[in-house]
C-alpha cells in the first residue's frame, strides 16, 4: 500500500528557509511522478513542484521558481522540498502527492495518493 509521510513544516519568519521531506513506501519509486502541493486557507490546492524519479525532470510553479528546489533520494525513497526566501503568501498546508498515470504533473487532479500534509506558516 502506498504511504506518504511529510515532515519539516513549522513556523518561520519571512526570508527564512525550511526543508520539507516526504518519505514514501509501498510502490516502485522510479515509476511515478511525485510532487509537492499546497493549499492555503480559502484557496484551491495547487501544484508547487514535481519531479519524475525516472529521469529527474523537475517542474515548478511560477510563484516559487528560483526559491524552491525539489530533489529526491531514490535510495531512501524520499523527496525533498527546499524552500528559501519564504514569503507570507507561502503559508499553507503542504502535501506530498504521487501520480501513477503520468511522468510528471502539477495538477492535483492527477494525484492518486496523498500524504496527510505538513503546515508551513510564514510570519511577516
Amino acid at each position: 500500500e502506498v504511504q506518504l509521510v511529510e515532515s519539516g513544516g513549522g513556523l518561520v519568519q519571512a526570508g527564512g528557509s525550511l526543508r520539507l521531506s516526504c518519505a514514501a513506501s509501498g510502490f516502485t519509486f522510479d515509476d511515478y511522478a511525485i510532487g509537492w502541493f499546497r493549499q492555503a486557507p480559502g484557496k484551491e490546492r495547487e501544484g508547487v513542484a514535481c519531479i519524475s524519479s525516472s529521469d529527474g525532470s523537475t517542474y515548478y510553479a511560477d510563484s516559487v521558481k528560483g526559491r524552491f528546489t525539489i530533489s529526491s533520494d531514490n535510495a531512501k525513497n524520499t523527496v525533498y522540498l527546499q524552500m528559501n526566501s519564504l514569503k507570507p503568501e507561502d503559508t499553507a498546508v503542504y502535501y506530498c502527492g504521487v501520480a501513477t498515470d503520468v511522468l510528471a504533473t502539477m495538477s492535483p487532479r492527477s494525484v492518486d495518493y496523498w500524504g496527510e500534509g505538513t503546515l508551513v506558516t510564514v510570519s511577516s
Side-chain angles (χ1 to χ4, degrees):
E1 180 178 346
V2 173
Q3 292 188 358
L4 304 170
V5 180
E6 302 99 331
S7 62
L11 175 64
V12 64
Q13 293 183 339
S17 298
L18 285 173
R19 188 195 193 201
L20 306 183
S21 298
C22 173
S25 63
F27 66 100
T28 303
F29 194 81
D30 290 347
D31 288 347
Y32 301 130
I34 305 176
W36 287 98
F37 304 79
R38 68 186 182 187
Q39 188 164 17
K43 294 186 177 181
E44 297 291 325
R45 191 170 299 185
E46 63 179 353
V48 175
C50 68
I51 186 169
S52 173
S53 295
S54 61
D55 63 4
S57 299
T58 58
Y59 306 87
Y60 298 92
D62 288 342
S63 59
V64 307
K65 285 182 179 178
R67 300 188 298 120
F68 291 10
T69 302
I70 188 170
S71 62
S72 64
D73 185 336
N74 288 7
K76 294 183 177 181
N77 269 24
T78 300
V79 176
Y80 306 95
L81 185 68
Q82 179 66 46
M83 304 185 294
N84 298 326
S85 301
L86 283 162
K87 305 174 181 179
E89 50 263 45
D90 294 318
T91 295
V93 177
Y94 284 72
Y95 299 90
C96 181
V98 172
T100 60
D101 293 333
V102 296
L103 294 179
T105 183
M106 295 291 290
S107 173
R109 296 183 182 273
S110 297
V111 173
D112 298 301
Y113 303 98
W114 293 102
E116 293 296 323
T118 185
L119 177 63
V120 172
T121 302
V122 184
S123 64
S124 59

